[in-house]
Amino acid sequence: NAGVTQTPKFQVLKTGQSMTLQCAQDMNHNSMYWYRQDPGMGLRLIYYSASEGTTDKGEVPNGYNVSRLNKREFSLRLESAAPSQTSVYFCASKYTSGKNTGELFFGEGSRLTVL
Amino acid sequence: AQTVTQSQPEMSVQEAETVTLSCTYDTSESDYYLFWYKQPPSRQMILVIRQEAYKQQNATENRFSVNFQKAAKSFSLKISDSQLGDAAMYFCAYRSSNFGNEKLTFGTGTRLTIIP
């Protein structure tokens, strides 16, 4: 059972370079999320997609774009990477019902370093 | 806006003993969900336990239980019979029950060390 799969696991970029983090889930979940984790700050929501065809900003969206390619895939793009975007990125997904009770499943994380 | 506070950056416990991790939160909502997540060195976030605010009974999952004090906005995690595999970062998290409010707000985490 793959669950939530993120690629790449590690990436080093130079300032100004662009890259895309890929995320795919095989649990037929309708909602998908991108978080970043920084030391001493817990996880913060960057963007989310409540359902296929929709995306919304989270707590820290600046410098990022997302694409909900289909129900399975949700990508995060850094158009011009900055050192402040050095972080560990987590993709997550869940099934959202009217009562919003679904458990959040996380990928293994992607460590990004911007020099 | 909701906030989640974990005031213990690090905790340690002897193997087989009991440890309690603290979490407080701030919200104006009456219905919401609270979670404890475990993050081992492998980095993957794993759900440990979940509590619905409208339920007065404290949630339990095997050796893990919570002490949910709604009026005090406190949500602590008790780990009984601690095992070496419990060593990890533990995050408390809050989520509104309102449909469409997708934000999961995390605390800053507590690093738990198990002493053999």
Side-chain angles (χ1 to χ4, degrees):
Chain A
N1 295 331
V4 180
T5 303
Q6 294 179 229
T7 56
K9 297 278 193 295
F10 300 92
Q11 183 73 50
V12 178
L13 292 175
K14 294 180 180 178
T15 298
Q17 287 185 319
S18 62
M19 77 156 298
T20 300
L21 296 174
Q22 306 285 355
C23 175
Q25 53 88 12
D26 62 0
M27 297 173 282
N28 202 34
H29 288 166
N30 49 354
S31 300
M32 298 187 72
Y33 308 79
W34 277 105
Y35 287 89
R36 61 177 288 173
Q37 183 178 29
D38 302 295
M41 298 191 74
L43 279 79
R44 293 181 293 168
L45 182 63
I46 305 170
Y47 269 95
Y48 66 94
S49 171
S51 61
E52 187 178 356
T54 68
T55 60
D56 285 284
K57 295 178 180 179
E59 189 179 354
V60 288
N62 292 343
Y64 305 95
N65 286 302
V66 291
S67 296
R68 183 72 182 268
L69 304 171
N70 48 55
K71 190 172 185 180
R72 290 186 63 249
E73 298 172 289
F74 187 41
S75 62
L76 178 71
R77 182 161 179 84
L78 287 69
E79 290 291 352
S80 178
S84 61
Q85 294 178 304
T86 294
S87 188
V88 179
Y89 292 84
F90 286 92
C91 179
S93 70
K94 73 178 178 73
Y95 176 72
T96 299
S97 69
K99 192 60 173 149
N100 200 17
T101 58
E103 175 187 343
L104 201 61
F105 289 83
F106 286 86
E108 294 182 347
S110 299
R111 182 177 294 277
L112 175 65
T113 301
V114 183
L115 302 175
Chain B
Q2 294 84 16
T3 59
V4 177
T5 302
Q6 293 179 250
S7 58
Q8 305 156 315
E10 297 183 353
M11 291 282 286
S12 61
V13 63
Q14 292 278 353
E15 192 175 3
E17 296 295 309
T18 296
V19 64
T20 298
L21 308 183
S22 300
C23 174
T24 59
Y25 58 94
D26 187 27
T27 183
S28 59
E29 298 177 326
S30 59
D31 197 13
Y32 47 86
Y33 298 91
L34 296 165
F35 306 84
W36 278 99
Y37 281 89
K38 171 185 177 181
Q39 186 179 38
S42 66
R43 287 204 315 240
Q44 190 159 18
M45 300 284 285
I46 303 165
L47 179 65
V48 174
I49 200 164
R50 178 175 73 184
Q51 174 80 44
E52 288 94 341
Y54 64 88
K55 291 185 177 179
Q56 293 188 350
Q57 187 174 4
N58 289 326
T60 62
E61 287 288 342
N62 300 316
R63 297 183 295 107
F64 299 87
S65 61
V66 299
N67 183 4
F68 173 49
Q69 302 289 330
K70 191 172 184 180
K73 296 180 181 176
S74 171
F75 182 61
S76 60
L77 175 69
K78 186 172 80 171
I79 306 174
S80 304
D81 186 26
S82 298
Q83 300 176 0
L84 294 177
D86 295 334
M89 283 288 289
Y90 286 82
F91 292 93
C92 178
Y94 170 102
R95 191 176 76 218
S96 170
S97 66
N98 294 330
F99 180 69
N101 186 343
E102 297 292 331
K103 183 181 176 183
L104 191 66
T105 302
F106 286 84
T108 53
T110 297
R111 183 175 300 281
L112 178 64
T113 300
I114 311 297
I115 303 168

